[in-house]
Amino acid sequence: MPMRYVPVALLKTAVFLLSLLPLTWYGWGAWHDTLGANPIEAVTRGFGTWTLNFLLITLAVTPLRKLTGLNLLIRLRRMLGLFTFFYATLHLTSYLWFDQFFDWGEIAQDILKRPFITVGMAAFVLLVPLAATSHNAAIRRLGGRRWQALHRTVYAIGILAVLHYSWLVKADQSQPLLYGGILFVLLGLRAWWREVERREQLAGKYAPRLKRIIPILPRR
Amino acid sequence: MNTPKPSEITPPGLYARRREFLRTSIGAGLAAVLPAPTFAGIGTGAHKSVFSTDEAQTPLKHVSGYCNYYEFGTGKEDPAENAHRLQTRPWQLTIDGLVRKPVTLGIDDILKLAPLEERIYRLRCVEGWSMVIPWLGFPLDVLLKQAEPLGSAKYVEFVTALQPDNMPGTRSRVLNWPYREGLRLDEARHPLTLLAVGLYGDALPKQNGAPLRIVVPWKYGFKSAKSIVAIRFLEHEPQSSWMEANPREYGFYSNVNPEVSHPRWSQATERRIGEFRKRQTLMFNGYGEQVASLYAGMDLRKFY
């Protein structure tokens, strides 16, 4: 069956269930003690990794849609974004709970003194308004333009998240570099498309009829 | 040091394990590494040590399953998966530098130098986790004396084996290979500093640094070089691989110190493998009584 005939509801249900697999994996592993010698670290790291994975998957939706013409992908973007927030919340919770046992003094120290925690926390704080406005009423209330401007902070969040990972590892930067590289491509594509659009506008391609007849800007 | 009472020498559990081990290890494992007479003594006759802790020991599967040995990969499970490729026989160790008598010793010669002791030590990793490991070995000083160090020697450098064909992790320059570590001579000669050849009554698993390694229990784990092939006596402080990789984060001393944070994370607490709650990290990993005097008058924030 070609992709465009798959009912959106079915696709969304499938993606929803798939997105719960990492949680199931770590939950099962914690219960059956298969997460190795340091299960708490495995869980905290695992949720962090899946936050990054979902962040990159979410950021891949728009470029994929443009490249493939599969417009229904956009219908998945909100859910994927909310799963990013879901795993970020689990990641943060496991840090607050299992690493610090809610010792708020220590946590404050960590946020102030340790750059990788500072940027990680900043990324999470910036995610909150995005998650809070991920529904249609919010788009209507804010208006499309402002909503979009707000949600563009996800680009900054992506950079902060990769920095967070990179500053955490001891010596081997291969994984953070991989995430950074994918993020670079995803953001770079957007920047490139924007630039192309700008040039086309300058070239008068999208200019209203009147301007095309009497250009305000000289054509190059 | 106390002489062990006969009743302390052979706990039934160890005795049973020795039997089992003898049955299963024909042509493999320790039997291949150690000559028979030494081996016969390893699990059973090993002397107990007053330096041993009576804290709960970390299960062997975690000691040998959760390791940092970057030559076999930077993941914690990588060494357990890849270290079987390490060639541990034949094995030679060269001791040179500022010595009267440079020597090269085979593993069999080294094992004959002194009776093995069991030392149950805490191990604190710089990453914030810890274990309790029953090592087998003897004081490093016994080995160092073989080369008759000169009075001008002030430092000791340890060099880990580099077998690029067997060590997939060395294909990337995460660290400068071969792995090098160092100690001040008085640290190296301290009675706590161990030349370990085994753990849990058996030969060292390869991922834990077979066939012989250093164990310095009051310093972060990376100071305890694994699978060593060379020891050099030097006049000046050597650069270790970790110091070269990141001098701001890894100093020469690297004593366990809850008050001096790693630049990127706190060292105040640690997670003992197998425990849920974190515990407070102890100064010098709890060995302050024995080693604090080595650092009298030193600013340990500066000499981190």
Side-chain angles (χ1 to χ4, degrees):
Chain A
M1 189 161 53
M3 203 52 185
R4 61 204 149 108
Y5 297 131
V6 178
V8 173
L10 190 68
L11 184 66
K12 283 175 92 165
T13 310
V15 172
F16 182 86
L17 291 175
L18 279 176
S19 301
L20 284 173
L21 275 183
L23 176 65
T24 317
W25 166 267
Y26 287 105
W28 195 90
W31 187 255
H32 291 91
D33 194 19
T34 58
L35 296 175
N38 200 344
I40 292 170
E41 182 194 63
V43 165
T44 310
R45 291 274 172 99
F47 288 152
T49 305
W50 279 98
T51 306
L52 262 176
N53 292 346
F54 273 100
L55 187 64
L56 293 185
I57 293 169
T58 311
L59 282 170
V61 167
T62 298
L64 269 182
R65 175 176 151 240
K66 277 206 178 187
L67 293 170
T68 62
L70 280 170
N71 286 327
L72 97 169
L73 288 176
I74 201 80
R75 312 273 296 262
L76 298 171
R77 191 173 65 177
R78 176 182 293 167
M79 186 166 68
L80 291 167
L82 284 169
F83 267 111
T84 308
F85 182 68
F86 176 68
Y87 281 102
T89 307
L90 290 173
H91 178 55
L92 175 64
T93 307
S94 46
Y95 160 75
L96 296 176
W97 190 354
F98 307 136
D99 263 359
Q100 298 291 8
F101 293 93
F102 302 110
D103 181 338
W104 300 108
E106 271 298 314
I107 292 163
Q109 286 274 316
D110 253 7
I111 296 172
L112 292 174
K113 275 172 61 181
R114 312 203 191 288
F116 89 95
I117 297 204
T118 317
V119 295
M121 201 57 85
F124 182 80
V125 168
L126 289 171
L127 264 183
V128 174
L130 307 198
T133 56
S134 285
H135 51 92
N136 292 340
I139 301 176
R140 274 196 301 273
R141 206 167 54 238
L142 285 169
R145 269 188 107 82
R146 273 196 291 170
W147 184 89
Q148 200 170 29
L150 171 66
H151 279 247
R152 285 210 172 109
T153 49
V154 73
Y155 307 149
I157 292 167
I159 294 167
L160 291 172
V162 170
L163 271 185
H164 170 64
Y165 188 16
S166 167
W167 288 348
L168 154 81
V169 304
K170 218 161 59 166
D172 184 0
Q173 288 289 344
S174 55
Q175 284 289 104
L177 278 173
L178 178 65
Y179 279 97
I182 296 171
L183 181 71
F184 183 81
V185 170
L186 294 175
L187 297 188
L189 276 173
R190 287 170 164 83
W192 170 245
W193 282 327
R194 248 181 120 88
E195 177 61 19
V196 168
E197 202 177 307
R198 195 183 69 89
R199 284 186 191 173
E200 283 175 351
Q201 271 174 8
L202 278 180
K205 202 171 167 187
Y206 299 132
R209 191 163 270 281
L210 187 71
K211 284 182 188 167
R212 232 186 267 171
I213 300 165
I214 312 163
I216 302 168
L217 293 167
R219 289 191 186 180
R220 277 184 284 180
Chain B
M1 207 174 299
N2 294 340
T3 35
K5 293 189 210 84
S7 61
E8 287 178 347
I9 291 180
T10 312
L14 275 181
Y15 188 79
R17 220 171 31 240
R18 165 183 169 269
R19 285 273 144 128
E20 184 187 302
F21 183 71
L22 276 171
R23 276 199 305 275
T24 56
S25 69
I26 313 282
L30 193 61
V33 179
L34 307 182
T38 324
F39 163 60
I42 198 163
T44 57
H47 296 270
K48 301 277 162 188
S49 168
V50 289
F51 293 130
S52 286
T53 171
D54 54 8
E55 290 165 88
Q57 294 168 30
T58 306
L60 176 60
K61 67 169 177 173
H62 294 331
V63 174
S64 62
Y66 188 81
C67 316
N68 279 323
Y69 195 160
Y70 278 16
E71 284 86 336
F72 295 103
T74 54
K76 291 281 180 304
E77 281 85 24
D78 293 345
E81 196 174 310
N82 298 324
H84 65 93
R85 293 162 65 179
L86 180 75
Q87 292 296 319
T88 54
R89 205 151 174 101
W91 193 274
Q92 295 207 310
L93 171 75
T94 305
I95 311 180
D96 58 16
L98 300 173
V99 294
R100 199 160 293 120
K101 207 181 86 186
V103 286
T104 296
L105 297 165
I107 182 71
D108 299 339
D109 309 322
I110 294 169
L111 284 162
K112 284 177 204 143
L113 290 177
L116 297 183
E117 288 175 44
E118 184 189 59
R119 298 267 185 110
I120 307 168
Y121 280 166
R122 291 177 290 274
L123 174 100
R124 168 63 155 81
C125 177
V126 71
E127 294 164 4
W129 51 268
S130 62
M131 295 182 174
V132 175
I133 303 175
W135 301 105
L136 286 168
F138 54 78
L140 176 65
D141 192 35
V142 174
L143 176 68
L144 297 183
K145 279 184 182 138
Q146 301 300 309
E148 298 173 23
L150 299 171
S152 53
K154 296 282 180 286
Y155 293 89
V156 194
E157 182 182 48
F158 307 101
V159 185
T160 293
L162 178 58
Q163 301 177 2
D165 293 341
N166 304 328
M167 294 175 154
T170 59
R171 279 192 291 247
S172 73
R173 291 194 75 81
V174 179
L175 294 172
N176 288 336
W177 316 114
Y179 189 90
R180 282 156 295 112
E181 257 308 337
L183 293 171
R184 221 168 56 189
L185 188 56
D186 56 346
E187 297 175 324
R189 306 190 70 165
H190 191 279
L192 274 177
T193 304
L194 194 71
L195 182 78
V197 296
L199 58 81
Y200 266 112
D202 286 352
L204 279 175
K206 289 181 175 180
Q207 60 269 34
N208 294 101
L212 77 167
R213 65 172 293 172
I214 310 299
V215 178
V216 196
W218 72 94
K219 292 175 181 280
Y220 294 117
F222 65 87
K223 292 296 291 181
S224 297
K226 298 186 177 85
S227 309
I228 57 168
V229 292
I231 297 178
R232 286 186 201 121
F233 287 84
L234 305 166
E235 191 180 347
H236 300 290
E237 185 181 288
Q239 286 277 307
S240 71
S241 292
W242 275 107
M243 289 162 77
E244 287 168 356
N246 200 332
R248 202 173 66 88
E249 298 187 352
Y250 304 100
F252 177 76
Y253 284 92
S254 293
N255 292 315
V256 175
N257 187 340
E259 282 148 36
V260 178
S261 295
H262 184 280
R264 290 183 284 145
W265 55 80
S266 165
Q267 295 290 22
T269 59
E270 67 199 52
R271 176 165 286 116
R272 179 69 52 83
I273 294 303
E275 289 181 358
F276 180 62
R277 279 206 158 249
K278 286 190 161 183
R279 27 167 98 212
Q280 298 295 315
T281 288
L282 303 173
M283 188 65 204
F284 298 117
N285 202 20
Y287 297 97
E289 201 186 314
Q290 290 89 1
V291 302
S293 59
L294 294 174
Y295 311 102
M298 279 175 73
D299 178 359
L300 295 177
R301 286 187 180 277
K302 194 172 159 219
F303 299 100
Y304 55 90

